[in-house]
Amino acid sequence: MTIRKERRRMKKRGRRILAALTAVLLLAESVSGTGIIADYPGTIYAETQRSAIVNATTLNVRSGPGTGNSVVRKLSYGAPVTVVGQETASDGVLWYKLQFTAGGKSMEGYASSEYIKFPVSYTTDPQFEAYMTSQGFPESYKESLRVLHAEFPSWVFQVQNTGLDWNDAVNNESIVGANLVSTNSLSSWKSTEYGAYDWNTGKWTGFDGSSWVAASRDIVSYYMDPRNFLNEIYVFQFLLQSYDGAHQTREGLQSLVSGTFLEKSTGQGDGNPPSAQENQEGQNNQQDSGQNGSDGGGTPLPPGQNYGPGMDMGSSGNISQNAPSGDAAQSTPQGAGGQKPDVSLEGPSAVVSARETQVLALPNVEYGPGMDASVITGDSTGASETSPVPSGQSYVDIIMNAGAQSGVNPYVLGAMILQEQANGTSGSISGTTAGYQGIYNFFNIGAYQTDSMSAVTRGLWYASQAGNYGRPWNSIEKSILGGALYYGENFVSQGQDTFYLKKFNVQGSNLYKHQYMTNVEGAAGEGAKLSRAYTDAMKKEPLVFKIPVFNNMPEAACPKPETTGSPNNKLASLEVEGYSLTPTFNKDTESYDVIVNPSVGQISVKAGTIDSKASVSGTGTISLQSGNNTVSVEV
């Protein structure tokens, strides 16, 4: 924090005025983690350094070639790296030596070549160039689209001209409560606006339970900027979601749900709540499937933590400890199994505060995808610890039928359920939650926290009522079909026909409202899951992607914020010994006047911080000169 103090001579009485103590906020941050990599004798340095990107949702970068070496950093999909050498590990696998920047520092490490992707070489396609121009894609979109076109020439990219000013759109989506992040996120992902953060205590306000806090403007900008997601995985958040029976097959859906609780099928249960023995078996199976990795196992991600593209998993201690230990993670819920050994798949009414900061009243915002209901399901709900099994048919059959009846791509429905329910142990779908036995809500529709109900209970209350969309949802099939009909009628048919538009409603007459989820990472996470449903052969089909464009966008894509540590750089006290500040000290006041006599040659400035870990400079004994004086105090 910078504080300036001026002293100026008054014409009357010959007094001097010590004026303008001005506060300029500086972020006090702490960046942890450094990597020191020794050169290995067997390293072969490439004649020319090659630029590349990470080709896994989360990639372990290690201190040496081979999974036996320590992890020095975790990089996410699309993170830029430079390959400076290569070495074959003892098991015969080729590893690349990488240089990259993380947390503002230049680092080095090794990663399996399987998860490093070099840019696609292509020749300019005049027809495609003319098409992009005719569509109205800005230049900053075109390079990524060229790469996608080179790999998938049948794909169709359509501009969605929102007609909205970029800054206006981001400001509206940054209203406190409109977008949330996990409480374990980096501090720069969390909003410090009033209503979101208590400067006196250094605590963030919980929304929809204590596991979620308001998202910062910087992270909202990152996830709203389509240019950050124009790659073969995350572009699927822009895929049009209408039903197409000729191309959306049972086999494709089976590919999406492979290794998840949605793989369960007929013959594995009767649709009734599981017995104690079945519960225990489910727990054992979940432990086996969720913790196997080439590094000897690892703890699955906590429910509801879906880490989107660009998030450095090593930047937060909590996240690092809970991350899978395999060398790459690519987008499935906790407990998913059946993957190759070294890969674990992971993903309003407004009120005005005293500072005229808008805050959303969350009871009118649905819990939504990514806000895994099991996060806030306590033992008192009677939630099962194993996922339910449909009676008489498989999840795949139920979802395929729901897609056909609702007009929604069944792959989209599957991705939504997985984003919502993680490993399937939520009280929303257990059928055993106290007071709502036999009731299911697979899409968390109507699930939000109130003064008297948790989000899970509120969602089950909605599902238990007689009404439209086939309620009450007293079976797995009725819940999935009813949720699909609800989504098709209220979102897809209303123009919110991509995951992006479902999350960020930047179309139609109800802008920035009627948004299905509050998790800022939700659209990206669902897009990553959806991409798994499309095999290489299916990706040759003419898939249609609708990509938003805004007016007055920044020249380059908005960067992902990477800083962490306490953001609290406010003063708890400020005084000039022997003199009064005008106005009286307040942590939010940025300028003060102090009057001293002309004969005063020095003063003593004292300041204290709210956060005990913050440091202050510029205080102490200050010599004064004739005329105006400025003193800067920096936190």
Side-chain angles (χ1 to χ4, degrees):
M1 180 178 290
T2 301
I3 302 177
R4 295 186 179 85
K5 182 174 57 180
E6 293 182 355
R7 173 174 166 249
R8 62 179 180 268
R9 185 181 304 275
M10 292 190 66
K11 293 182 179 180
K12 295 183 179 181
R13 300 182 184 176
R15 295 192 302 169
R16 299 174 182 173
I17 299 178
L18 199 59
L21 285 162
T22 303
V24 177
L25 302 180
L26 299 174
L27 177 65
E29 65 184 55
S30 169
V31 180
S32 62
T34 58
I36 301 176
I37 312 300
D39 287 335
Y40 281 72
T43 300
I44 302 172
Y45 288 92
E47 294 181 4
T48 304
Q49 296 182 349
R50 301 177 65 188
S51 297
I53 62 170
V54 171
N55 193 32
T57 300
T58 303
L59 175 67
N60 289 334
V61 180
R62 299 182 177 273
S63 59
T67 55
N69 294 286
S70 61
V71 176
V72 297
R73 204 71 176 186
K74 293 179 182 289
L75 298 178
S76 58
Y77 182 91
V81 296
T82 301
V83 176
V84 297
Q86 63 186 45
E87 182 176 353
T88 301
S90 58
D91 59 0
V93 175
L94 179 65
W95 287 65
Y96 289 142
K97 185 175 183 180
L98 310 176
Q99 291 180 345
F100 55 93
T101 300
K105 296 184 178 182
S106 178
M107 302 183 68
E108 290 185 339
Y110 288 80
S112 170
S113 61
E114 180 180 358
Y115 307 120
I116 301 300
K117 183 175 182 177
F118 295 101
V120 175
S121 58
Y122 61 87
T123 56
T124 301
D125 180 343
Q127 186 174 355
F128 184 65
E129 294 293 322
Y131 172 78
M132 287 194 293
T133 300
S134 68
Q135 280 286 301
F137 281 111
E139 288 299 321
S140 57
Y141 283 64
K142 289 182 179 179
E143 184 59 27
S144 296
L145 293 177
R146 291 181 185 115
V147 173
L148 286 173
H149 176 68
E151 291 192 83
F152 310 103
S154 297
W155 286 7
V156 178
F157 305 106
Q158 297 178 349
V159 161
Q160 182 202 5
N161 285 307
T162 65
L164 303 175
D165 179 84
W166 169 254
N167 288 313
D168 288 346
V170 173
N171 288 339
N172 277 280
E173 290 288 357
S174 299
I175 292 174
V176 173
N179 281 280
L180 307 182
V181 295
S182 165
T183 189
N184 292 326
S185 300
L186 306 181
S187 62
S188 55
W189 286 38
K190 305 175 188 178
S191 174
T192 54
E193 293 291 332
Y194 282 82
Y197 181 75
D198 187 338
W199 292 94
N200 293 314
T201 63
K203 303 293 184 181
W204 277 275
T205 303
F207 290 85
D208 262 347
S210 60
S211 297
W212 300 90
V213 297
S216 69
R217 191 181 190 281
D218 285 345
I219 197 62
V220 170
S221 298
Y222 176 79
Y223 276 101
M224 281 191 71
D225 194 333
R227 296 169 296 184
N228 287 317
F229 306 100
L230 299 181
N231 56 61
E232 64 182 281
I233 292 180
Y234 292 103
V235 74
F236 277 83
Q237 69 181 286
F238 308 114
L239 182 72
L240 287 177
Q241 297 183 346
S242 54
Y243 178 76
D244 179 0
H247 297 97
Q248 295 155 4
T249 65
R250 192 181 190 282
E251 290 70 27
L253 182 59
Q254 188 66 53
S255 175
L256 185 147
V257 305
S258 177
T260 75
F261 81 95
L262 292 180
E263 198 171 33
K264 292 184 177 181
S265 60
T266 182
Q268 296 185 33
D270 56 7
N272 296 317
S275 66
Q277 179 180 359
E278 290 170 333
N279 269 331
Q280 184 60 50
E281 291 172 354
Q283 293 175 34
N284 294 338
N285 291 335
Q286 176 186 332
Q287 183 179 23
D288 291 341
S289 64
Q291 297 186 353
N292 291 332
S294 66
D295 294 352
T299 304
L301 289 173
Q305 291 187 5
N306 299 287
Y307 302 108
M311 180 169 182
D312 180 355
M313 299 282 285
S315 299
S316 166
N318 290 334
I319 295 172
S320 296
Q321 293 165 9
N322 291 320
S325 61
D327 271 3
Q330 299 185 14
S331 276
T332 2
Q334 164 191 355
Q339 309 304 324
K340 41 175 131 166
D342 207 30
V343 178
S344 297
L345 302 177
E346 331 179 78
S349 59
V351 298
V352 180
S353 73
R355 289 175 58 88
E356 298 184 347
T357 300
Q358 286 186 299
V359 181
L360 288 184
L362 284 186
N364 289 327
V365 179
E366 294 187 8
Y367 202 56
M371 310 290 282
D372 176 18
S374 63
V375 173
I376 59 171
T377 299
D379 294 338
S380 61
T381 65
S384 170
E385 293 185 3
T386 188
S387 54
V389 182
S391 176
Q393 57 185 317
S394 68
Y395 276 112
V396 169
D397 291 330
I398 293 172
I399 296 171
M400 288 298 298
N401 178 58
Q405 292 197 45
S406 65
V408 180
N409 183 337
Y411 305 164
V412 168
L413 299 175
M416 288 174 63
I417 292 173
L418 292 178
Q419 184 81 352
E420 290 275 4
Q421 304 301 342
N423 59 5
T425 61
S426 158
S428 293
I429 63 171
S430 68
T432 62
T433 297
Y436 297 96
Q437 288 86 348
I439 300 297
Y440 304 85
N441 192 338
F442 273 76
F443 293 93
N444 284 338
I445 295 170
Y448 51 80
Q449 184 168 311
T450 69
D451 291 340
S452 60
M453 291 183 177
S454 72
V456 169
T457 305
R458 175 61 176 75
L460 290 174
W461 173 86
Y462 174 85
S464 69
Q465 302 303 296
N468 51 3
Y469 311 115
R471 289 181 297 158
W473 294 335
N474 52 14
S475 72
I476 291 174
E477 183 175 10
K478 289 177 70 175
S479 175
I480 292 176
L481 175 58
L485 292 170
Y486 171 94
Y487 180 65
E489 178 179 323
N490 291 283
F491 288 88
V492 176
S493 66
Q494 301 300 316
Q496 291 176 265
D497 51 3
T498 68
F499 281 142
Y500 182 95
L501 293 175
K502 182 180 71 172
K503 173 66 203 88
F504 304 111
N505 189 11
V506 292
Q507 61 83 51
S509 60
N510 201 21
L511 294 171
Y512 318 118
K513 298 179 181 179
H514 193 254
Q515 299 185 153
Y516 193 80
M517 66 196 88
T518 48
N519 179 8
V520 73
E521 303 173 81
E526 288 179 326
K529 290 178 175 65
L530 182 57
S531 71
R532 295 180 57 222
Y534 287 83
T535 64
D536 290 342
M538 294 162 63
K539 287 181 179 179
K540 295 179 181 179
E541 299 291 336
L543 305 180
V544 179
F545 301 88
K546 186 168 69 172
I547 304 171
V549 171
F550 299 83
N551 298 333
N552 303 315
M553 297 184 75
E555 290 186 6
C558 295
K560 175 200 66 176
E562 295 184 343
T563 54
T564 192
S566 170
N568 199 332
N569 51 2
K570 290 186 179 291
L571 291 176
S573 63
L574 175 67
E575 64 175 300
V576 178
E577 192 171 0
Y579 298 94
S580 298
L581 303 180
T582 303
T584 303
F585 172 76
N586 183 287
K587 68 179 184 298
D588 296 319
T589 301
E590 298 183 349
S591 64
Y592 301 88
D593 289 339
V594 178
I595 301 174
V596 301
N597 291 321
S599 60
V600 176
Q602 63 183 28
I603 57 171
S604 176
V605 178
K606 297 180 180 180
T609 63
I610 294 176
D611 192 319
S612 61
K613 297 183 290 296
S615 59
V616 179
S617 62
T619 56
T621 300
I622 308 297
S623 297
L624 301 178
Q625 305 298 321
S626 178
N628 296 336
N629 288 260
T630 300
V631 173
S632 297
V633 176
E634 189 169 276
V635 182

